[in-house]
Amino acid sequence: MATSIDAASLLKTLFYSIANNPSSENIPKYILQTLPYGDFIFKRYDVISEYIFKLDEKSFFVVKKYFDENIDFNSPSYQKMKMSLDIYQNVEYIEILDKFERHVKLACFQRKFILDNVSKANEIAEGLVETKTKIYSEFIAILGIFTAISFALMGSIQTFGTVFSKVEDPSTASIGYAIIAGALYLIIMIVLIMVLFIGMKRVINANNDKIPGWIIWTTISVISVLVIVGTVLIII
């Protein structure tokens, strides 16, 4: 357990130096001092990953850039630091540093991959919440519109019954008055239903399409015929 705690502490110190001052001359000195204990420090992938994942964005960018192989040679880098160490004849030390580099790069890749996917998942979740809210809103709006249409139709049936019940003594005049009254009420009902359906269409589809002309002309024609017939019956 003591070795694990020492490894975490030593790696934290090393990463802190890289993140805050990657050109520091203390970094190669520190690595040389800890290389004899490399198996307990530089091969601890669990400790390396934990620290990489806990870095803030700025420090993570610096550390990732430090271990990048394609970095400018004039910039501080892990490759440049390794070349400054006099360990070419120590195969074990070179192997330890190479494994440490691979561990750090893998941890950086995993962090970026996971955070990118988490970000995409959050965007998808937000989109689902918006879609769910929109569906509920549309459902409530459509339900309200159909409820209004149902009440309007029920009321119209009752009103037509009342209008024609007044025709106690059927005659052309009384029938004409009833037809005109029914036509006027029909105008009100058609306008109300059209308004409700237009409102429902705009809830479902944001496009503000105009009412088809044939519907308007058909409605006007039917109402006009009813009014003319009613007027003729009254005159007769």
Side-chain angles (χ1 to χ4, degrees):
M1 182 63 69
T3 303
S4 178
I5 295 175
D6 292 339
S9 177
L10 293 171
L11 283 172
K12 183 176 181 180
T13 302
L14 175 60
F15 281 120
Y16 181 84
S17 300
I18 295 173
N20 289 276
N21 187 12
S23 60
S24 174
E25 297 180 357
N26 293 326
I27 295 175
K29 294 178 182 179
Y30 185 80
I31 289 178
L32 280 175
Q33 292 174 359
T34 53
L35 268 176
Y37 313 99
D39 287 336
F40 300 106
I41 302 173
F42 296 105
K43 293 184 180 181
R44 290 297 305 276
Y45 179 68
D46 55 337
V47 179
I48 295 171
S49 299
E50 181 181 4
Y51 189 79
I52 291 293
F53 274 78
K54 287 183 178 180
L55 287 173
D56 58 79
E57 286 297 325
K58 182 179 179 181
S59 299
F60 173 72
F61 176 80
V62 175
V63 172
K64 185 174 180 295
K65 183 179 178 182
Y66 185 79
F67 284 87
D68 191 354
E69 295 179 355
N70 300 320
I71 194 173
D72 184 2
F73 188 76
N74 294 323
S75 302
S77 67
Y78 186 76
Q79 298 294 331
K80 188 176 179 180
M81 185 276 300
K82 277 199 307 182
M83 293 176 62
S84 68
L85 300 177
D86 188 16
I87 57 171
Y88 295 106
Q89 296 183 2
N90 194 321
V91 179
E92 182 182 358
Y93 283 179
I94 293 175
E95 182 182 352
I96 290 173
L97 291 179
D98 288 343
K99 286 186 177 181
F100 175 66
E101 180 182 4
R102 289 196 296 269
H103 287 335
V104 173
K105 287 182 177 179
L106 179 59
C108 290
F109 174 80
Q110 288 176 333
R111 169 183 163 135
K112 186 177 183 301
F113 178 80
I114 292 173
L115 292 182
D116 287 346
N117 280 275
V118 168
S119 178
K120 291 179 181 178
N122 288 335
E123 292 177 2
I124 294 173
E126 291 176 0
L128 291 175
V129 171
E130 292 177 0
T131 302
K132 179 181 177 181
T133 304
K134 184 179 180 181
I135 290 174
Y136 282 153
S137 301
E138 291 179 356
F139 176 76
I140 293 172
I142 293 172
L143 182 62
I145 290 170
F146 273 107
T147 302
I149 292 174
S150 299
F151 279 110
L153 292 176
M154 290 171 60
S156 64
I157 294 173
Q158 184 178 359
T159 301
F160 274 119
T162 302
V163 169
F164 286 101
S165 67
K166 298 297 182 182
V167 186
E168 297 176 355
D169 184 16
S171 63
T172 55
S174 61
I175 293 175
Y177 282 121
I179 290 176
I180 292 176
L184 294 175
Y185 189 77
L186 188 61
I187 292 174
I188 297 173
M189 289 303 305
I190 290 175
V191 171
L192 176 61
I193 292 174
M194 287 177 63
V195 169
L196 291 174
F197 271 105
I198 291 171
M200 181 176 65
K201 184 177 180 181
R202 291 189 177 183
V203 169
I204 298 174
N205 185 6
N207 296 329
N208 296 327
D209 297 333
K210 295 182 179 180
I211 303 173
W214 67 270
I215 295 180
I216 298 176
W217 287 111
T218 302
T219 303
I220 294 175
S221 300
V222 172
I223 301 300
S224 299
V225 169
L226 290 175
V227 172
I228 292 171
V229 171
T231 304
V232 170
L233 290 175
I234 292 174
I235 295 174
I236 294 175

